[in-house]
């Protein structure tokens, strides 16, 4: 329990009291292409909440929480798990790979973090199976095979898209509640597995890959075991959140992935398959809209993206490389190098508008220290004309020319700053430029990966 105790005691100073979260619940979500530092913010704000709820995505997410010298990478478990007195909920909108979840629970327990009834899982969430992983990989192969132009989405390979597709298809989906019912599970798998074997077998043949057909019995036995392990944690989580709300408890919603990866509003088709913005929390957690009072948008001080798709401010040069190395910009889930670029305020403004963002948490500002000049994209031009808004077509976004505003950089390291006034004037100018272009106040500034490396503005 030693590390859990440390996780509890090493907290940010009482600066959180400055953050007026207003009435109602609070939502935290990413305003870019993911990896903005949501895990850190959720961990931080969890101190002021009773329940932390994940409402979308699956094991494609990688949320890092650093406390003291301990680094935790969370994939399915909400980032409030380090506090034993908080209830952490995996909502109905999440797709759960039980193998990953059970491993994650064990990994945390091995490090002294209590994971028991403080984790609850929705009986309406959907279950990821190994055939979803194979389908994910084969569909990616289909997008690149034999073509000069690689149209791969660049997924995390975690079976996310195929599982959400089955959810929409209904007849080939399994929900957590069904997993717990042996008869139902067996019946479902006897229907689904032959279909998957036919489809995946022919695809594999087409793309010259080996494919070992799935065996109904093996999968059934394996998933029955998973069901036994998870059974005590499963419940109707929408009801649980409702009861907590009735008792005056405060709920924090954790968005996984990010707004520009949202299946409806992101840079489609280079997106993930869930509703990642705050708009998705109502359906993904089963909570009505009026209960959420504050919406905190998490944005990195620059842009990153993993996988395919347009990214107007991408830097294929020394500055991009420098940001990647200083910012340790390698995927938390897949280890892939992240594409890096200047901050894109057209994109952030669009995301903030969609989410109804009431305050921005501007993360990882420390990584920009030492750059002579900082460029920020404040507009797009397409075919020589200024574009209004954020384009819906990936092809248009890929062709836009960013319009930059350039300001002086800051030379000093800022990782020891804890007050806004301690930041160099140029860093403050950068923050204020963001506020000017988005119309949203920057309430929190991240100056390092640890929980305590934060500035909260009154
Ligand atoms: P998430 O997916 O949004 O939770 O973000 P990730 O955990 O995938 O990636 C964010 C990375 O930045 C992690 O390695 C964090 O430890 C780190 N991080 C978070 N906030 C800060 C910050 O303010 N400064 C620095 N240098 N790193 C940060
Ligand atoms: P967190 O929560 C960064 C990206 C993948 C790929 C696309 C689709 O850590 O911010 P998928 O496997 O979901 O079908 O992949 O979405 N992607 C993420 N990128 N952070 C994430 O999560 C991501 N989740 C999905 O790289 O481009
Ligand atoms: Mg991440």
């Amino acid at each position: 329990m030693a590390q859990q105790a440390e996780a509890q005691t090493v907290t940010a100073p009482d600066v959180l009291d400055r953050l007026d979260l207003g009435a109602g619940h609070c939502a935290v979500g990413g305003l870019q292409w993911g990896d903005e530092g949501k895990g850190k913010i959720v961990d931080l704000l969890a101190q002021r909440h009773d329940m932390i709820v994940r409402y979308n995505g699956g094991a494609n997410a990688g949320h890092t929480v650093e406390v003291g010298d301990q680094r935790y990478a969370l994939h399915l478990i909400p980032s409030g798990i380090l506090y034993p007195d908080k209830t952490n909920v995996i909502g109905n909108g999440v797709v759960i790979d039980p193998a990953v979840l059970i491993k994650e629970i064990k990994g945390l327990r091995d490090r002294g973090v209590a994971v028991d009834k403080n984790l609850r899982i929705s009986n309406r969430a959907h279950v990821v199976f190994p055939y979803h992983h194979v389908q994910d990989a084969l569909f990616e192969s289909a997008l690149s095979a034999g073509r000069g132009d690689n149209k791969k989405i660049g997924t995390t390979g975690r079976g996310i898209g195929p599982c959400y597709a089955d959810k929409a298809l209904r007849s080939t989906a399994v929900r957590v509640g069904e997993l717990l019912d042996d008869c139902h599970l067996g019946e479902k798998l006897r229907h689904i597995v032959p279909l998957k074997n036919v489809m995946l077998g022919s695809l594999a043949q087409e793309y010259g890959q080996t494919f070992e057909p799935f065996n109904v019995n093996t999968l059934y036995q394996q998933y029955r075991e998973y069901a036994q392990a998870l059974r005590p944690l499963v419940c109707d989580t929408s009801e649980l959140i409702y009861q907590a709300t009735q008792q005056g408890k405060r709920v924090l919603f954790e968005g996984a992935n990010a707004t520009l990866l949202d299946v409806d509003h992101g840079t489609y088709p280079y997106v993930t398959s869930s509703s990642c913005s705050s708009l998705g929390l109502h359906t993904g957690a089963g909570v009505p809209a009026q209960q959420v009072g504050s919406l905190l948008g998490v944005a990195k001080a620059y842009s990153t993206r993993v996988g395919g798709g347009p990214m107007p401010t991408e830097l294929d040069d020394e500055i991009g490389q420098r940001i990647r190395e200083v910012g340790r910009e390698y995927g938390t889930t897949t280890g892939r190098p992240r594409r890096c670029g200047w901050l894109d305020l057209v994109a952030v403004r669009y995301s903030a508008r969609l989410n109804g963002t009431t305050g921005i948490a501007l993360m990882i500002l420390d990584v920009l220290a030492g750059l002579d000049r900082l460029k920020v994209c404040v507009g797009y031009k397409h075919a020589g004309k200024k574009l209004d808004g954020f384009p819906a077509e990936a092809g248009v976004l890929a062709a836009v020319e960013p319009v930059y505003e350039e300001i002086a950089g800051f030379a000093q390291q800022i990782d020891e700053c804890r007050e806004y006034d301690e930041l160099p004037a140029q860093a403050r100018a950068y923050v204020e430029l963001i506020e000017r272009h988005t119309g949203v106040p920057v309430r929190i500034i991240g100056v390092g990966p640890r929980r305590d490396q934060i500035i909260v503005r009154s």
Side-chain angles (χ1 to χ4, degrees):
M1 281 289 138
Q3 282 164 10
Q4 176 115 30
E6 184 193 24
Q8 276 181 274
T9 52
V10 183
T11 55
D14 286 339
V15 289
L16 271 187
D17 290 342
R18 296 175 187 172
L19 206 59
D20 178 13
L21 294 171
H25 301 326
C26 173
V28 170
L31 297 178
Q32 293 151 315
W33 285 282
D35 306 324
E36 297 92 346
K38 300 178 290 294
K40 170 170 168 169
I41 291 297
V42 170
D43 164 76
L44 189 77
L45 296 187
Q47 296 174 46
R48 293 290 186 273
H49 291 83
D50 304 291
M51 184 178 267
I52 298 89
V53 182
R54 256 287 290 274
Y55 59 84
N56 76 298
N60 51 355
H63 297 169
T64 315
V65 177
E66 289 198 30
V67 187
D69 62 356
Q70 293 293 314
R71 191 164 200 243
Y72 301 88
L74 300 161
H75 301 287
L76 280 160
I77 297 182
S79 305
I81 196 68
L82 298 186
Y83 307 92
D85 57 332
K86 314 287 178 193
T87 305
N88 287 267
V89 173
I90 302 181
N92 58 276
V94 176
V95 290
I96 300 177
D97 187 329
V100 176
L101 179 56
I102 290 167
K103 189 168 166 220
E104 199 168 324
I105 293 173
K106 184 176 181 313
L108 286 169
R109 284 182 181 153
D110 287 349
R111 295 175 71 181
V113 178
V115 187
D116 199 354
K117 280 286 174 74
N118 57 339
L119 177 67
R120 309 310 295 270
I121 303 165
S122 169
N123 51 5
R124 291 183 174 87
H126 278 75
V127 183
V128 175
F129 285 85
Y131 47 74
H132 290 130
H133 292 237
V134 174
Q135 190 174 334
D136 201 351
L138 282 169
F139 274 57
E140 283 285 83
S141 302
L143 284 169
S144 56
R147 294 204 201 165
D149 57 335
N150 186 343
K151 291 222 162 19
K152 272 184 171 182
I153 294 169
T155 72
T156 58
R158 298 298 188 268
I160 305 299
C163 186
Y164 277 114
D166 281 342
K167 172 178 175 176
L169 204 55
R170 295 149 298 163
S171 61
T172 47
V174 176
R175 304 213 298 189
V176 169
E178 296 172 311
L179 185 69
L180 302 188
D181 176 338
D182 286 356
C183 285
H184 207 121
L185 177 65
E187 200 181 302
K188 275 274 166 120
L189 290 176
R190 279 192 295 279
H191 171 71
I192 298 167
V193 173
L195 284 174
K196 292 286 180 185
N197 280 341
V198 170
M199 179 177 78
L200 301 177
S202 7
L203 275 174
Q205 197 176 14
E206 178 73 21
Y207 299 112
Q209 298 186 14
T210 52
F211 173 69
E212 185 67 40
F214 289 97
N215 179 284
V216 176
N217 224 10
T218 314
L219 273 185
Y220 174 68
Q221 295 303 344
Q222 191 180 21
Y223 273 69
R224 262 184 63 186
E225 274 181 35
Y226 294 153
Q228 290 316 321
L230 298 178
R231 185 184 299 277
L233 310 180
V234 176
C235 68
D236 181 337
T237 52
S238 162
E239 177 67 25
L240 192 75
I241 301 167
Y242 172 75
Q243 294 299 345
T245 306
Q246 292 296 100
Q247 291 161 22
K249 297 202 167 143
R250 299 199 63 140
V251 182
L252 179 64
F253 295 95
E254 176 180 37
N257 327 124
T259 304
L260 300 176
L261 295 172
D262 185 285
V263 67
D264 285 279
H265 302 286
T267 52
Y268 196 86
Y270 299 97
V271 292
T272 188
S273 305
S274 67
S275 299
C276 321
S277 77
S278 68
L279 302 170
L281 87 82
H282 307 291
T283 179
V287 172
Q290 70 272 25
Q291 291 184 0
V292 181
S294 50
L295 298 116
L296 204 60
V298 188
K300 238 175 221 190
Y302 46 91
S303 302
T304 63
R305 175 161 207 173
V306 205
M311 180 180 169
T313 61
E314 183 167 9
L315 290 167
D316 277 322
D317 61 7
E318 277 167 30
I319 297 180
Q321 186 61 26
R322 182 183 190 279
I323 292 175
R324 185 172 308 110
E325 294 315 319
V326 179
R328 299 183 298 180
E329 292 294 356
Y330 293 87
T332 313
T333 299
T334 59
R336 290 179 291 178
R338 296 174 182 149
R339 299 156 63 189
C340 298
W342 295 119
L343 180 62
D344 184 341
L345 285 182
V346 181
V348 172
R349 186 167 56 220
Y350 165 75
S351 294
R353 195 254 299 156
L354 263 175
N355 283 280
T357 302
T358 53
I360 290 177
L362 181 70
M363 308 306 288
I364 324 189
L365 184 61
D366 51 299
V367 165
L368 296 182
L371 290 172
D372 283 346
R373 310 284 302 165
L374 298 174
K375 284 167 83 172
V376 174
C377 170
V378 295
Y380 292 155
K381 270 191 187 166
H382 185 255
K385 287 199 189 120
K386 186 178 173 297
L387 274 191
D388 286 326
F390 190 73
E393 300 295 323
V396 174
L397 190 62
V400 300
E401 186 196 326
V403 178
Y404 286 109
E405 203 168 304
E406 201 174 315
I407 64 169
F410 47 99
Q412 306 95 302
Q413 297 301 319
I414 59 169
D415 49 321
E416 298 296 331
C417 297
R418 297 292 178 272
E419 297 291 335
Y420 188 63
D421 292 348
E422 291 168 18
L423 286 175
Q426 297 90 335
R428 281 184 274 129
Y430 191 73
V431 172
E432 285 152 31
L433 183 149
I434 293 167
E435 291 181 316
R436 218 169 34 250
H437 282 281
T438 58
V440 183
V442 172
R443 307 294 311 280
I444 298 179
I445 298 164
V447 292
R450 289 194 323 266
R451 188 189 272 169
D452 62 299
Q453 290 181 303
I454 206 88
I455 294 173
V456 179
R457 293 169 80 194
S458 314

